[in-house]
PDB file of all heavy atoms in Angstrom:
ATOM      1  N   SER L1321      32.543 -54.506  50.862  1.00 65.00           N
ATOM      2  CA  SER L1321      31.483 -55.230  50.166  1.00 65.00           C
ATOM      3  C   SER L1321      31.047 -56.426  50.972  1.00 65.00           C
ATOM      4  O   SER L1321      31.833 -57.291  51.322  1.00 65.00           O
ATOM      5  CB  SER L1321      31.996 -55.684  48.799  1.00 65.00           C
ATOM      6  OG  SER L1321      31.084 -56.551  48.200  1.00 65.00           O
ATOM      7  N   MET L1322      29.748 -56.492  51.300  1.00 71.00           N
ATOM      8  CA  MET L1322      29.221 -57.629  52.045  1.00 71.00           C
ATOM      9  C   MET L1322      29.234 -58.896  51.208  1.00 71.00           C
ATOM     10  O   MET L1322      29.231 -59.986  51.752  1.00 71.00           O
ATOM     11  CB  MET L1322      27.803 -57.337  52.537  1.00 71.00           C
ATOM     12  CG  MET L1322      27.764 -56.363  53.687  1.00 71.00           C
ATOM     13  SD  MET L1322      28.770 -56.871  55.098  1.00 71.00           S
ATOM     14  CE  MET L1322      27.905 -58.308  55.645  1.00 71.00           C
ATOM     15  N   SER L1323      29.244 -58.762  49.889  1.00 74.00           N
ATOM     16  CA  SER L1323      29.272 -59.953  49.057  1.00 74.00           C
ATOM     17  C   SER L1323      30.576 -60.713  49.243  1.00 74.00           C
ATOM     18  O   SER L1323      30.600 -61.939  49.226  1.00 74.00           O
ATOM     19  CB  SER L1323      29.052 -59.601  47.583  1.00 74.00           C
ATOM     20  OG  SER L1323      30.080 -58.747  47.134  1.00 74.00           O
ATOM     21  N   LEU L1324      31.670 -59.982  49.458  1.00 84.00           N
ATOM     22  CA  LEU L1324      32.941 -60.660  49.734  1.00 84.00           C
ATOM     23  C   LEU L1324      32.868 -61.430  51.039  1.00 84.00           C
ATOM     24  O   LEU L1324      33.339 -62.565  51.130  1.00 84.00           O
ATOM     25  CB  LEU L1324      34.088 -59.661  49.804  1.00 84.00           C
ATOM     26  CG  LEU L1324      34.620 -59.142  48.480  1.00 84.00           C
ATOM     27  CD1 LEU L1324      35.638 -58.030  48.721  1.00 84.00           C
ATOM     28  CD2 LEU L1324      35.248 -60.246  47.685  1.00 84.00           C
ATOM     29  N   VAL L1325      32.269 -60.834  52.048  1.00 87.00           N
ATOM     30  CA  VAL L1325      32.140 -61.493  53.342  1.00 87.00           C
ATOM     31  C   VAL L1325      31.284 -62.754  53.204  1.00 87.00           C
ATOM     32  O   VAL L1325      31.651 -63.822  53.686  1.00 87.00           O
ATOM     33  CB  VAL L1325      31.532 -60.532  54.387  1.00 87.00           C
ATOM     34  CG1 VAL L1325      31.240 -61.254  55.685  1.00 87.00           C
ATOM     35  CG2 VAL L1325      32.462 -59.356  54.613  1.00 87.00           C
ATOM     36  N   LEU L1326      30.166 -62.639  52.514  1.00 90.00           N
ATOM     37  CA  LEU L1326      29.292 -63.781  52.315  1.00 90.00           C
ATOM     38  C   LEU L1326      29.996 -64.877  51.512  1.00 90.00           C
ATOM     39  O   LEU L1326      29.877 -66.060  51.837  1.00 90.00           O
ATOM     40  CB  LEU L1326      28.000 -63.356  51.597  1.00 90.00           C
ATOM     41  CG  LEU L1326      27.015 -64.466  51.260  1.00 90.00           C
ATOM     42  CD1 LEU L1326      26.573 -65.188  52.532  1.00 90.00           C
ATOM     43  CD2 LEU L1326      25.823 -63.911  50.533  1.00 90.00           C
ATOM     44  N   THR L1327      30.747 -64.502  50.506  1.00 91.00           N
ATOM     45  CA  THR L1327      31.463 -65.484  49.698  1.00 91.00           C
ATOM     46  C   THR L1327      32.501 -66.213  50.534  1.00 91.00           C
ATOM     47  O   THR L1327      32.603 -67.442  50.474  1.00 91.00           O
ATOM     48  CB  THR L1327      32.139 -64.816  48.483  1.00 91.00           C
ATOM     49  OG1 THR L1327      31.149 -64.133  47.721  1.00 91.00           O
ATOM     50  CG2 THR L1327      32.826 -65.842  47.606  1.00 91.00           C
ATOM     51  N   HIS L1328      33.274 -65.484  51.324  1.00 92.00           N
ATOM     52  CA  HIS L1328      34.275 -66.124  52.192  1.00 92.00           C
ATOM     53  C   HIS L1328      33.600 -67.103  53.143  1.00 92.00           C
ATOM     54  O   HIS L1328      34.055 -68.245  53.298  1.00 92.00           O
ATOM     55  CB  HIS L1328      35.060 -65.088  53.000  1.00 92.00           C
ATOM     56  CG  HIS L1328      36.070 -64.336  52.206  1.00 92.00           C
ATOM     57  ND1 HIS L1328      37.070 -64.941  51.488  1.00 92.00           N
ATOM     58  CD2 HIS L1328      36.239 -63.005  52.033  1.00 92.00           C
ATOM     59  CE1 HIS L1328      37.811 -64.023  50.917  1.00 92.00           C
ATOM     60  NE2 HIS L1328      37.320 -62.825  51.228  1.00 92.00           N
ATOM     61  N   PHE L1329      32.519 -66.666  53.786  1.00 95.00           N
ATOM     62  CA  PHE L1329      31.826 -67.533  54.732  1.00 95.00           C
ATOM     63  C   PHE L1329      31.273 -68.777  54.033  1.00 95.00           C
ATOM     64  O   PHE L1329      31.441 -69.893  54.518  1.00 95.00           O
ATOM     65  CB  PHE L1329      30.688 -66.787  55.437  1.00 95.00           C
ATOM     66  CG  PHE L1329      29.956 -67.662  56.418  1.00 95.00           C
ATOM     67  CD1 PHE L1329      30.447 -67.803  57.708  1.00 95.00           C
ATOM     68  CD2 PHE L1329      28.823 -68.348  56.043  1.00 95.00           C
ATOM     69  CE1 PHE L1329      29.795 -68.623  58.625  1.00 95.00           C
ATOM     70  CE2 PHE L1329      28.169 -69.173  56.943  1.00 95.00           C
ATOM     71  CZ  PHE L1329      28.666 -69.317  58.235  1.00 95.00           C
ATOM     72  N   ALA L1330      30.609 -68.573  52.892  1.00 95.00           N
ATOM     73  CA  ALA L1330      29.988 -69.702  52.180  1.00 95.00           C
ATOM     74  C   ALA L1330      31.023 -70.708  51.709  1.00 95.00           C
ATOM     75  O   ALA L1330      30.830 -71.920  51.850  1.00 95.00           O
ATOM     76  CB  ALA L1330      29.153 -69.186  51.008  1.00 95.00           C
ATOM     77  N   VAL L1331      32.131 -70.236  51.162  1.00 95.00           N
ATOM     78  CA  VAL L1331      33.176 -71.158  50.692  1.00 95.00           C
ATOM     79  C   VAL L1331      33.763 -71.944  51.853  1.00 95.00           C
ATOM     80  O   VAL L1331      33.953 -73.163  51.767  1.00 95.00           O
ATOM     81  CB  VAL L1331      34.278 -70.404  49.912  1.00 95.00           C
ATOM     82  CG1 VAL L1331      35.496 -71.283  49.683  1.00 95.00           C
ATOM     83  CG2 VAL L1331      33.726 -69.899  48.589  1.00 95.00           C
ATOM     84  N   GLY L1332      34.024 -71.263  52.965  1.00 96.00           N
ATOM     85  CA  GLY L1332      34.536 -71.959  54.133  1.00 96.00           C
ATOM     86  C   GLY L1332      33.563 -72.984  54.679  1.00 96.00           C
ATOM     87  O   GLY L1332      33.939 -74.106  55.035  1.00 96.00           O
ATOM     88  N   ALA L1333      32.288 -72.631  54.735  1.00 97.00           N
ATOM     89  CA  ALA L1333      31.278 -73.561  55.237  1.00 97.00           C
ATOM     90  C   ALA L1333      31.067 -74.721  54.260  1.00 97.00           C
ATOM     91  O   ALA L1333      30.891 -75.875  54.692  1.00 97.00           O
ATOM     92  CB  ALA L1333      29.960 -72.809  55.471  1.00 97.00           C
ATOM     93  N   ILE L1334      31.101 -74.464  52.950  1.00 96.00           N
ATOM     94  CA  ILE L1334      30.953 -75.523  51.960  1.00 96.00           C
ATOM     95  C   ILE L1334      32.100 -76.521  52.069  1.00 96.00           C
ATOM     96  O   ILE L1334      31.892 -77.732  52.121  1.00 96.00           O
ATOM     97  CB  ILE L1334      30.897 -74.932  50.527  1.00 96.00           C
ATOM     98  CG1 ILE L1334      29.555 -74.255  50.286  1.00 96.00           C
ATOM     99  CG2 ILE L1334      31.142 -76.021  49.477  1.00 96.00           C
ATOM    100  CD1 ILE L1334      29.508 -73.420  49.011  1.00 96.00           C
ATOM    101  N   ALA L1335      33.322 -76.007  52.111  1.00 96.00           N
ATOM    102  CA  ALA L1335      34.481 -76.896  52.207  1.00 96.00           C
ATOM    103  C   ALA L1335      34.429 -77.718  53.489  1.00 96.00           C
ATOM    104  O   ALA L1335      34.708 -78.927  53.485  1.00 96.00           O
ATOM    105  CB  ALA L1335      35.766 -76.070  52.152  1.00 96.00           C
ATOM    106  N   THR L1336      34.058 -77.070  54.584  1.00 97.00           N
ATOM    107  CA  THR L1336      33.961 -77.786  55.859  1.00 97.00           C
ATOM    108  C   THR L1336      32.845 -78.823  55.813  1.00 97.00           C
ATOM    109  O   THR L1336      33.016 -79.953  56.297  1.00 97.00           O
ATOM    110  CB  THR L1336      33.717 -76.795  57.010  1.00 97.00           C
ATOM    111  OG1 THR L1336      34.750 -75.809  56.994  1.00 97.00           O
ATOM    112  CG2 THR L1336      33.715 -77.498  58.343  1.00 97.00           C
ATOM    113  N   ALA L1337      31.697 -78.478  55.229  1.00 95.00           N
ATOM    114  CA  ALA L1337      30.586 -79.419  55.134  1.00 95.00           C
ATOM    115  C   ALA L1337      30.970 -80.656  54.328  1.00 95.00           C
ATOM    116  O   ALA L1337      30.657 -81.784  54.722  1.00 95.00           O
ATOM    117  CB  ALA L1337      29.368 -78.738  54.500  1.00 95.00           C
ATOM    118  N   ILE L1338      31.651 -80.440  53.223  1.00 94.00           N
ATOM    119  CA  ILE L1338      32.075 -81.582  52.403  1.00 94.00           C
ATOM    120  C   ILE L1338      33.033 -82.476  53.183  1.00 94.00           C
ATOM    121  O   ILE L1338      32.874 -83.706  53.216  1.00 94.00           O
ATOM    122  CB  ILE L1338      32.694 -81.085  51.085  1.00 94.00           C
ATOM    123  CG1 ILE L1338      31.608 -80.468  50.199  1.00 94.00           C
ATOM    124  CG2 ILE L1338      33.405 -82.242  50.351  1.00 94.00           C
ATOM    125  CD1 ILE L1338      32.121 -79.731  48.996  1.00 94.00           C
ATOM    126  N   LEU L1339      34.010 -81.867  53.841  1.00 95.00           N
ATOM    127  CA  LEU L1339      34.967 -82.659  54.629  1.00 95.00           C
ATOM    128  C   LEU L1339      34.284 -83.410  55.775  1.00 95.00           C
ATOM    129  O   LEU L1339      34.573 -84.576  56.033  1.00 95.00           O
ATOM    130  CB  LEU L1339      36.073 -81.761  55.180  1.00 95.00           C
ATOM    131  CG  LEU L1339      37.064 -81.225  54.165  1.00 95.00           C
ATOM    132  CD1 LEU L1339      38.034 -80.266  54.831  1.00 95.00           C
ATOM    133  CD2 LEU L1339      37.817 -82.366  53.488  1.00 95.00           C
ATOM    134  N   VAL L1340      33.376 -82.726  56.471  1.00 94.00           N
ATOM    135  CA  VAL L1340      32.685 -83.346  57.599  1.00 94.00           C
ATOM    136  C   VAL L1340      31.845 -84.525  57.133  1.00 94.00           C
ATOM    137  O   VAL L1340      31.889 -85.609  57.720  1.00 94.00           O
ATOM    138  CB  VAL L1340      31.822 -82.296  58.346  1.00 94.00           C
ATOM    139  CG1 VAL L1340      30.783 -82.965  59.233  1.00 94.00           C
ATOM    140  CG2 VAL L1340      32.688 -81.366  59.162  1.00 94.00           C
ATOM    141  N   HIS L1341      31.072 -84.349  56.062  1.00 90.00           N
ATOM    142  CA  HIS L1341      30.198 -85.419  55.601  1.00 90.00           C
ATOM    143  C   HIS L1341      30.988 -86.588  54.999  1.00 90.00           C
ATOM    144  O   HIS L1341      30.541 -87.741  55.099  1.00 90.00           O
ATOM    145  CB  HIS L1341      29.168 -84.896  54.613  1.00 90.00           C
ATOM    146  CG  HIS L1341      28.087 -84.096  55.267  1.00 90.00           C
ATOM    147  ND1 HIS L1341      27.191 -84.639  56.164  1.00 90.00           N
ATOM    148  CD2 HIS L1341      27.767 -82.789  55.206  1.00 90.00           C
ATOM    149  CE1 HIS L1341      26.361 -83.724  56.590  1.00 90.00           C
ATOM    150  NE2 HIS L1341      26.699 -82.582  56.033  1.00 90.00           N
ATOM    151  N   LEU L1342      32.125 -86.316  54.397  1.00 90.00           N
ATOM    152  CA  LEU L1342      32.924 -87.396  53.808  1.00 90.00           C
ATOM    153  C   LEU L1342      33.770 -88.137  54.830  1.00 90.00           C
ATOM    154  O   LEU L1342      33.858 -89.372  54.794  1.00 90.00           O
ATOM    155  CB  LEU L1342      33.843 -86.854  52.712  1.00 90.00           C
ATOM    156  CG  LEU L1342      33.166 -86.428  51.416  1.00 90.00           C
ATOM    157  CD1 LEU L1342      34.193 -85.855  50.452  1.00 90.00           C
ATOM    158  CD2 LEU L1342      32.433 -87.600  50.766  1.00 90.00           C
ATOM    159  N   PHE L1343      34.416 -87.396  55.725  1.00 94.00           N
ATOM    160  CA  PHE L1343      35.410 -88.014  56.603  1.00 94.00           C
ATOM    161  C   PHE L1343      34.966 -88.195  58.047  1.00 94.00           C
ATOM    162  O   PHE L1343      35.584 -88.958  58.793  1.00 94.00           O
ATOM    163  CB  PHE L1343      36.713 -87.210  56.559  1.00 94.00           C
ATOM    164  CG  PHE L1343      37.326 -87.202  55.190  1.00 94.00           C
ATOM    165  CD1 PHE L1343      37.363 -86.027  54.458  1.00 94.00           C
ATOM    166  CD2 PHE L1343      37.851 -88.348  54.639  1.00 94.00           C
ATOM    167  CE1 PHE L1343      37.931 -85.991  53.199  1.00 94.00           C
ATOM    168  CE2 PHE L1343      38.402 -88.335  53.362  1.00 94.00           C
ATOM    169  CZ  PHE L1343      38.444 -87.161  52.646  1.00 94.00           C
ATOM    170  N   PHE L1344      33.938 -87.493  58.465  1.00 92.00           N
ATOM    171  CA  PHE L1344      33.453 -87.587  59.850  1.00 92.00           C
ATOM    172  C   PHE L1344      31.939 -87.748  59.876  1.00 92.00           C
ATOM    173  O   PHE L1344      31.225 -86.945  60.472  1.00 92.00           O
ATOM    174  CB  PHE L1344      33.871 -86.358  60.659  1.00 92.00           C
ATOM    175  CG  PHE L1344      35.339 -86.083  60.624  1.00 92.00           C
ATOM    176  CD1 PHE L1344      35.874 -85.100  59.793  1.00 92.00           C
ATOM    177  CD2 PHE L1344      36.204 -86.818  61.414  1.00 92.00           C
ATOM    178  CE1 PHE L1344      37.230 -84.858  59.748  1.00 92.00           C
ATOM    179  CE2 PHE L1344      37.564 -86.582  61.383  1.00 92.00           C
ATOM    180  CZ  PHE L1344      38.076 -85.602  60.556  1.00 92.00           C
ATOM    181  N   PRO L1345      31.415 -88.779  59.232  1.00 87.00           N
ATOM    182  CA  PRO L1345      29.953 -88.901  59.118  1.00 87.00           C
ATOM    183  C   PRO L1345      29.240 -89.092  60.451  1.00 87.00           C
ATOM    184  O   PRO L1345      28.054 -88.801  60.562  1.00 87.00           O
ATOM    185  CB  PRO L1345      29.765 -90.123  58.224  1.00 87.00           C
ATOM    186  CG  PRO L1345      31.027 -90.889  58.316  1.00 87.00           C
ATOM    187  CD  PRO L1345      32.109 -89.896  58.580  1.00 87.00           C
ATOM    188  N   SER L1346      29.923 -89.568  61.459  1.00 88.00           N
ATOM    189  CA  SER L1346      29.255 -89.782  62.747  1.00 88.00           C
ATOM    190  C   SER L1346      29.504 -88.639  63.731  1.00 88.00           C
ATOM    191  O   SER L1346      29.149 -88.749  64.908  1.00 88.00           O
ATOM    192  CB  SER L1346      29.713 -91.106  63.361  1.00 88.00           C
ATOM    193  OG  SER L1346      31.108 -91.081  63.597  1.00 88.00           O
TER     194      SER L1346
END
Side-chain angles (χ1 to χ4, degrees):
S1321 170
M1322 286 305 293
S1323 61
L1324 282 173
V1325 173
L1326 177 59
T1327 304
H1328 285 304
F1329 180 85
V1331 168
I1334 287 169
T1336 305
I1338 291 170
L1339 289 176
V1340 163
H1341 286 295
L1342 289 177
F1343 297 111
F1344 305 101
S1346 61

